[in-house]
Amino acid sequence: MNLRHLFLTASSTAAPFCWGAPSAPVREAPCIIPRPASLEFKAGQPGFALKDGGVKLPAGHPLSVQAERLFRENGVKTAMVEQGADIAFTEDKSLGGEGYRLTVTLDSISIDCGAANGGLHALQSLMQSIVKDGGGAPALAALEVRDQPRFSWRGIMMDSCRHMMPVRDIKKVLDLMSRYKFNILHWHLTDDQGWRLPVAKYPRLTETGGTRAQSPVTGNRSKPDGKPYSGHYTAEEIRDVVQYAKDRGITVIPEVELPGHASAAIAAYPELGNADIPDYAPKVQETWGVHPYTFAPTEKTFRFLEDVIDEVCRLFPDSPYIHIGGDEAPKDQWKQSPTAQQVMKDKGLKNEHELQSYFVRRVEKMINAHGKRLIGWDEIQEGGLSPTATMMVWRSWMPNSARHALEQGNDIVMTPNSHLYFDYDQGPGKPAAAEYETINNDSLTWQHVYSLEPVPPGTPKAREKQVLGCQANVWAEYIPNLPKWEYQVFPRALALAEVAWTPRELKNEQDFRLRLERQLPFLDARGVNYKRPDNGAPARPDAVITRELR
């Protein structure tokens, strides 16, 4: 049975047989984050009661499975029925892939969407519409919502190289992302301090490249802890994460760093680096920062990268992009390498920046051969940007980089470290414990995140569509476990969710703050170790614990 037939079946059988019962009058307005494009709340009217029979869902509909999960997680009983369902799912292609209409009356719920992800977003808005009626019982407020996202890219980047989050914790992150309508998990899987991605043809990538001899002590980046750090994800774990995310409307975008941030790969296979330079001694790096080891621009390296990309495409079949990093690639080794200099001469390249551009374009052809697109950090434009590449703008001190890419016709994703580096401090009130060491930046509060306008100033109207959206980056040098990750990300993630989804003209910080307070009980119930929005202590000050990878 196809999805269209299921939409038609559910909508034709549900309406005449609704079992729902009205609640007492509801005066408590729903506080949905991100704010919908249009919401009409009917204050003082009865809503849809939840205290007795719960919600009856149309059996056999794929969205009923998701609805059952979400209602259960929010303490609401459900039942699958062949007839008499309380919810009617109806297909409306005019709403696009993520738009939806949601209507709640005293005896029925209707969701119209153009695709499954729109239906998921409607269900998340429905979960945030659970309030207490005049009798103190749970109910769904009577409302009408018509909604769609402002931007198609609403992301969070997870860094598993410096500190590796177990799959169970990644799933918790995905559940939280889905509630607030994020749709991209950018997964940083390779770097100088560890290679976490399994590639069957190259087992030493994880055997050798997945282990560093030690790490900086938490709270003192210049002092080593003397403890080996090792781990990687299996292919089965990655497929599990990808499917779990897909079920929640989230696409996982993998990142394989090149040509720089390659120490771990080169430590595993030294022939991939610039082995013809003096004092060549690659190793998996034990400290944070930028390190000099870059891939050599040789045919052996390109064959290796082609094999890696083949494996990445098998593990992440639904990702339309492969992220190649491209940032912070020192050119010193290429300048010293006779081999690299000969490549430059043979290809007519004027400098090492052009060599990096040549390197990136070679890799882009491999990615395009799989029907996918290349995306990278804004350094990929140094030496010349491919006209088909997508660029992530992270260096806030280089405002012209975004404008230049847009003028060339490239798509961009805004990730400026001035607003969206969630490994930075998020204002005063940080606990004194060493586990809370981070990068000092007291101005990066949730209010500052909320102030972000993703479309760069001066962007012509015709080019605004090239701004795909925005993303928070959560680098993990100072984030050893999930509680610390949560503390860095929440509540700033909720502010970003509204920046990325809500029409610009509807943003209102004061209104958002009121809705944010209403979200805190949900975060408390899920055990999220958020920072108090009033800059107080975290929800669970004793929550930072050491977790074993395996």
Side-chain angles (χ1 to χ4, degrees), residues 486-506:
E486 292 172 336
Y487 182 78
Q488 292 300 120
V489 172
F490 294 96
R492 290 189 288 196
L494 278 68
L496 175 59
E498 191 145 311
V499 169
W501 180 281
T502 302
R504 181 180 181 181
E505 63 273 14
L506 292 182

Side-chain angles (χ1 to χ4, degrees), residues 514-534:
L514 295 174
R515 287 179 286 119
L516 176 59
E517 286 291 331
R518 289 274 298 277
Q519 292 292 326
L520 300 185
F522 171 84
L523 298 178
D524 289 334
R526 297 301 185 277
V528 177
N529 187 46
Y530 60 88
K531 177 182 173 68
R532 286 286 311 175
D534 58 4

Side-chain angles (χ1 to χ4, degrees), residues 33-37 98 121 147-156 177 180-184 413-415 420 422 449-455 467-472 492-504 507 512:
I33 294 178
R35 180 176 179 175
E98 294 194 285
H121 298 324
D147 201 9
Q148 62 183 15
R150 181 184 177 194
F151 294 105
S152 62
W153 190 297
R154 306 178 304 279
I156 293 179
M177 288 176 62
Y180 300 108
K181 301 184 177 71
F182 288 96
N183 66 342
I184 299 291
V413 176
M414 297 300 293
T415 69
L420 298 181
F422 285 4
V449 174
Y450 196 82
S451 73
L452 174 68
E453 169 47 46
V455 176
V467 183
L468 302 184
C470 46
Q471 170 181 294
R492 290 189 288 196
L494 278 68
L496 175 59
E498 191 145 311
V499 169
W501 180 281
T502 302
R504 181 180 181 181
K507 286 176 58 186
F512 174 81

Side-chain angles (χ1 to χ4, degrees), residues 108-124:
S108 68
I109 304 161
S110 66
I111 291 175
D112 305 324
C113 54
N117 282 359
L120 282 170
H121 298 324
L123 288 169
Q124 292 289 5

Side-chain angles (χ1 to χ4, degrees), residues 58-72:
H61 197 287
L63 287 171
S64 291
V65 176
Q66 302 297 335
E68 188 277 334
R69 171 179 61 83
L70 290 170
F71 275 119
R72 183 183 68 249

Side-chain angles (χ1 to χ4, degrees), residues 150 402-410 412 453 455-467:
R150 181 184 177 194
R403 184 178 65 186
H404 179 67
L406 292 171
E407 288 173 350
Q408 289 194 141
N410 296 88
I412 65 172
E453 169 47 46
V455 176
T459 301
K461 190 73 175 177
R463 296 207 177 274
E464 287 186 5
K465 64 181 180 181
Q466 294 167 227
V467 183

Side-chain angles (χ1 to χ4, degrees), residues 19-181:
W19 291 7
S23 72
V26 174
R27 299 194 179 281
E28 182 181 349
C31 291
I32 299 173
I33 294 178
R35 180 176 179 175
S38 172
L39 185 153
E40 180 184 349
F41 165 57
K42 300 174 182 179
Q45 294 189 17
F48 186 98
L50 298 173
K51 67 177 180 178
D52 296 322
V55 179
K56 296 176 176 61
L57 306 170
H61 197 287
L63 287 171
S64 291
V65 176
Q66 302 297 335
E68 188 277 334
R69 171 179 61 83
L70 290 170
F71 275 119
R72 183 183 68 249
E73 290 172 356
N74 284 273
V76 177
K77 294 186 295 184
T78 60
M80 298 287 184
V81 297
E82 296 295 334
Q83 290 190 336
D86 296 319
I87 294 185
F89 295 109
T90 306
E91 183 181 46
D92 183 347
K93 290 293 188 183
S94 70
L95 295 169
E98 294 194 285
Y100 66 90
R101 281 191 302 269
L102 168 65
T103 303
V104 178
T105 70
L106 58 86
D107 61 2
S108 68
I109 304 161
S110 66
I111 291 175
D112 305 324
C113 54
N117 282 359
L120 282 170
H121 298 324
L123 288 169
Q124 292 289 5
S125 290
L126 192 65
M127 297 307 111
Q128 295 190 47
S129 300
I130 299 174
V131 296
K132 292 189 182 300
D133 65 16
L140 291 166
L143 51 74
E144 293 184 7
V145 177
R146 186 182 177 101
D147 201 9
Q148 62 183 15
R150 181 184 177 194
F151 294 105
S152 62
W153 190 297
R154 306 178 304 279
I156 293 179
M157 187 221 73
M158 176 180 294
D159 171 14
S160 289
C161 301
R162 282 56 177 255
H163 288 100
M164 183 180 161
M165 195 178 291
V167 168
R168 66 178 181 274
D169 292 346
I170 296 174
K171 289 181 175 180
K172 182 180 180 182
V173 168
L174 290 167
D175 286 334
L176 293 166
M177 288 176 62
S178 180
R179 178 174 174 89
Y180 300 108
K181 301 184 177 71

Side-chain angles (χ1 to χ4, degrees), residues 239-455:
R239 293 189 187 99
D240 184 25
V241 168
V242 168
Q243 185 60 52
Y244 193 90
K246 184 177 181 179
D247 290 343
R248 286 150 181 78
I250 298 169
T251 300
V252 183
I253 307 292
E255 180 180 355
V256 176
E257 274 274 13
L258 59 92
H261 286 289
S263 295
I266 296 171
Y269 294 94
E271 65 272 21
L272 300 175
N274 300 281
D276 56 348
I277 66 172
D279 302 318
Y280 182 72
K283 69 173 185 176
V284 182
Q285 299 298 327
E286 302 165 9
T287 58
W288 317 137
V290 179
H291 297 277
Y293 283 89
T294 56
F295 285 119
T298 63
E299 294 306 311
K300 179 184 286 291
T301 298
F302 290 124
R303 285 193 297 272
F304 162 79
L305 291 172
E306 190 163 19
D307 290 336
V308 170
I309 289 167
D310 289 347
E311 186 76 2
V312 167
C313 290
R314 283 190 287 269
L315 291 171
F316 300 87
D318 297 323
S319 174
Y321 295 90
I322 303 295
H323 201 298
I324 57 89
D327 61 309
E328 299 175 331
K331 308 299 187 294
D332 296 344
Q333 291 191 349
W334 283 350
K335 289 178 179 179
Q336 297 177 63
S337 167
T339 301
Q341 293 299 309
Q342 187 63 48
V343 171
M344 289 172 54
K345 181 178 179 181
D346 293 343
K347 304 297 180 183
L349 306 174
K350 290 183 290 188
N351 54 44
E352 287 74 19
H353 290 297
E354 288 194 2
L355 179 58
Q356 176 165 327
S357 180
Y358 161 77
F359 196 108
V360 169
R361 287 172 191 254
R362 284 283 301 266
V363 173
E364 184 179 26
K365 290 180 180 178
M366 303 173 195
I367 292 171
N368 293 161
H370 288 274
K372 300 181 184 293
R373 297 181 61 185
L374 178 144
I375 185 169
W377 305 111
D378 55 44
E379 288 96 329
I380 64 173
Q381 69 180 331
E382 296 172 1
L385 181 62
S386 162
T388 55
T390 300
M391 190 177 81
M392 279 192 168
V393 181
W394 74 272
R395 293 181 292 179
S396 59
W397 63 89
M398 296 188 66
N400 291 332
S401 63
R403 184 178 65 186
H404 179 67
L406 292 171
E407 288 173 350
Q408 289 194 141
N410 296 88
D411 291 340
I412 65 172
V413 176
M414 297 300 293
T415 69
N417 66 338
S418 59
H419 291 76
L420 298 181
Y421 267 43
F422 285 4
D423 52 317
Y424 290 6
D425 275 347
Q426 54 178 322
K430 183 180 70 172
E435 290 85 351
Y436 285 91
E437 180 194 15
T438 186
I439 297 173
N440 292 326
N441 186 334
D442 281 348
S443 66
L444 220 164
T445 61
W446 68 260
Q447 294 94 332
H448 189 60
V449 174
Y450 196 82
S451 73
L452 174 68
E453 169 47 46
V455 176

